[in-house]
Amino acid sequence: MDIKNYCFKGKEEFSLQNYDTKDTAEFTSKKETIELLAANQARMAQLQDRLYAENKEALLIIFQAMDAAGKDGAIKHVISGMNPQGVIVHNFKQPTSEELDHDYLWRAWRVLPGRGDIGIFNRSYYEDVLVVKVHSLYKNLPLPDRCKTGELFQQRYMQINHFEKYLYQNGIRVVKIFLHLSKDEQKKRFLERIDDEEKNWKFSQSDIEERMYWDTYQEAYEDAIKATATKKAPWYIVPADKKWFARLLISQIIVDTLEEINPQYPELPDNKKALLSQCREQLLAETKEEEEKD
Ligand code: AMP
Ligand code: MG
């Protein structure tokens, strides 16, 4: 499977319609992918260990999608093999009053991953060019009138491009994942949530209301992806109608990105190596002394 087929770096024409939500590459069933997913998770864990030890580069993985596209499940799968010490998941909900009191990137900035860490954003500052655009929420924001112009979203795309370039240049890689779901599959999953008692809690009436804006959301996604995909911070359009395929592809994207970063265990300087061998001598001498006492 080649992740390039799903990657958009912003050079060519872009239309979501050219991406099939049902695509499963060369696979026809979940069964065929179980071992591959497990192998990717194991590789991810090795690479994360090195990333953490090297403590230089950070990785930020952004998940965006329509409701019920499988973000939460995908995130759970991705991190299941990782060392929790080096992974931070952050959920972006409706902004709090404190968050609304600041510029829209403020809340993202505060939770960026540190060196050696992997940050996972479940939704992100992209909501500020998605839900905010679809419902014209900016009109109610406590912004000066001079900022509430028709240019607002064009300006935000540019700000996001600058922000992500800034992150790249400061040691944080950004990978953006759009889980691309069909409207039919969303309906199926909503019905499952309604019918299954264990899934009821995941459903809210607002999900149905948002569904009525499906086409406007698709347009907003298309515009945002088109405007913010770059070579250094690409978007991946992950077909999401088959959860097993989406999870496999996401694991491959993360493995390939970490391979590209190619983190290395730090090599100890000579004086540290000498110190280690001194410590070894000391510990071994201790055992000898104790044996002699016995
Ligand atoms: P969930 O991910 O299901 O917990 O839902 C979080 C909700 O918060 C979604 O409906 C988002 O659209 C909404 N949300 C996230 N960020 C923003 C934002 N900046 N402005 C308005 N709504 C937002
Ligand atoms: Mg929700």
Side-chain angles (χ1 to χ4, degrees):
M1 182 176 43
D2 193 346
I3 64 166
K4 277 200 209 82
N5 298 336
Y6 306 93
C7 184
F8 182 62
K9 295 186 174 176
K11 279 279 167 262
E12 319 88 53
E13 280 297 296
F14 179 76
S15 164
L16 271 180
Q17 279 180 347
N18 296 338
Y19 291 82
D20 180 7
T21 57
K22 291 180 179 46
D23 181 9
T24 55
E26 67 264 40
F27 307 101
T28 52
S29 74
K30 179 177 176 177
K31 227 168 72 197
E32 295 165 34
T33 60
I34 291 173
E35 278 177 25
L36 282 172
L37 180 63
N40 274 350
Q41 280 171 329
R43 183 71 187 138
M44 219 187 284
Q46 287 172 340
L47 289 163
Q48 185 215 355
D49 200 50
R50 286 207 241 146
L51 188 82
Y52 191 75
E54 189 182 53
N55 202 36
K56 279 188 186 164
E57 193 113 31
L59 175 61
L60 174 62
I61 309 164
I62 292 178
F63 284 88
Q64 284 290 159
M66 297 295 286
D67 287 318
K71 271 186 291 110
D72 296 9
I75 291 172
K76 201 159 90 181
H77 267 75
V78 165
I79 60 174
S80 66
M82 291 191 186
N83 176 358
Q85 192 113 278
V87 188
I88 305 122
V89 182
H90 195 83
N91 298 306
F92 287 76
K93 304 278 184 191
Q94 286 196 12
T96 62
S97 53
E98 190 192 18
E99 287 167 350
L100 282 176
D101 224 17
H102 293 82
D103 60 282
Y104 71 100
L105 288 176
W106 179 78
R107 65 173 178 165
W109 215 297
R110 311 169 80 204
V111 290
L112 287 170
R115 300 195 188 290
D117 288 343
I118 297 180
I120 296 178
F121 283 2
N122 185 350
R123 303 186 191 271
S124 64
Y125 46 85
Y126 279 99
E127 291 293 325
D128 294 280
V129 292
L130 294 165
V131 66
V132 175
K133 189 175 186 213
V134 169
H135 295 292
S136 299
L137 298 178
Y138 66 97
K139 290 187 177 153
N140 309 321
L141 289 177
L143 278 171
D145 288 341
R146 66 175 174 81
C147 304
K148 295 185 193 179
T149 69
E151 304 287 285
L152 184 114
F153 294 105
Q154 288 305 327
Q155 288 171 354
R156 286 190 172 182
Y157 298 145
M158 197 177 68
Q159 291 153 4
I160 289 174
N161 279 329
H162 287 163
F163 177 59
E164 291 177 351
K165 190 169 180 186
Y166 166 89
L167 295 181
Y168 184 83
Q169 290 176 343
N170 284 277
I172 303 174
R173 300 250 183 167
V174 186
V175 166
K176 301 168 299 199
I177 291 175
F178 172 59
L179 287 168
H180 186 28
L181 186 75
S182 67
K183 200 175 176 188
D184 279 350
E185 183 61 26
Q186 189 194 50
K187 180 173 167 182
K188 210 175 115 206
R189 293 186 190 175
F190 278 170
L191 287 171
E192 267 168 31
R193 287 182 178 185
I194 292 169
D195 293 339
D196 181 345
E197 269 182 24
E198 288 183 6
K199 289 185 178 170
N200 280 175
W201 63 272
K202 282 193 188 178
F203 189 78
S204 83
Q205 201 195 337
S206 67
D207 291 346
I208 292 284
E209 282 157 23
E210 290 305 282
R211 181 177 162 81
M212 297 199 292
Y213 293 90
W214 183 274
D215 292 341
T216 324
Y217 266 110
Q218 297 295 306
E219 268 171 45
Y221 267 107
E222 202 167 82
D223 291 346
I225 292 172
K226 216 186 291 185
T228 61
T230 63
K231 219 169 141 209
K232 304 291 191 214
W235 271 101
Y236 288 92
I237 316 303
V238 172
D241 281 5
K242 295 283 181 232
K243 282 182 184 169
W244 54 266
F245 180 71
R247 286 169 191 175
L248 177 69
L249 180 55
I250 290 165
S251 71
Q252 194 65 55
I253 292 165
I254 297 173
V255 166
D256 288 7
T257 307
L258 286 168
E259 297 278 14
E260 198 185 300
I261 294 173
N262 192 21
Q264 302 295 325
Y265 288 113
E267 224 206 297
L268 287 185
D270 286 346
N271 58 348
K272 276 258 176 79
K273 278 188 193 158
L275 200 67
L276 281 188
S277 82
Q278 254 179 38
C279 291
R280 178 196 284 118
E281 296 298 314
Q282 199 175 328
L283 286 168
L284 291 175
E286 219 175 66
T287 334
K288 239 187 218 162
E289 266 171 38
E290 272 165 19
E291 275 169 8
E292 278 164 12
K293 254 194 249 161
D294 291 343

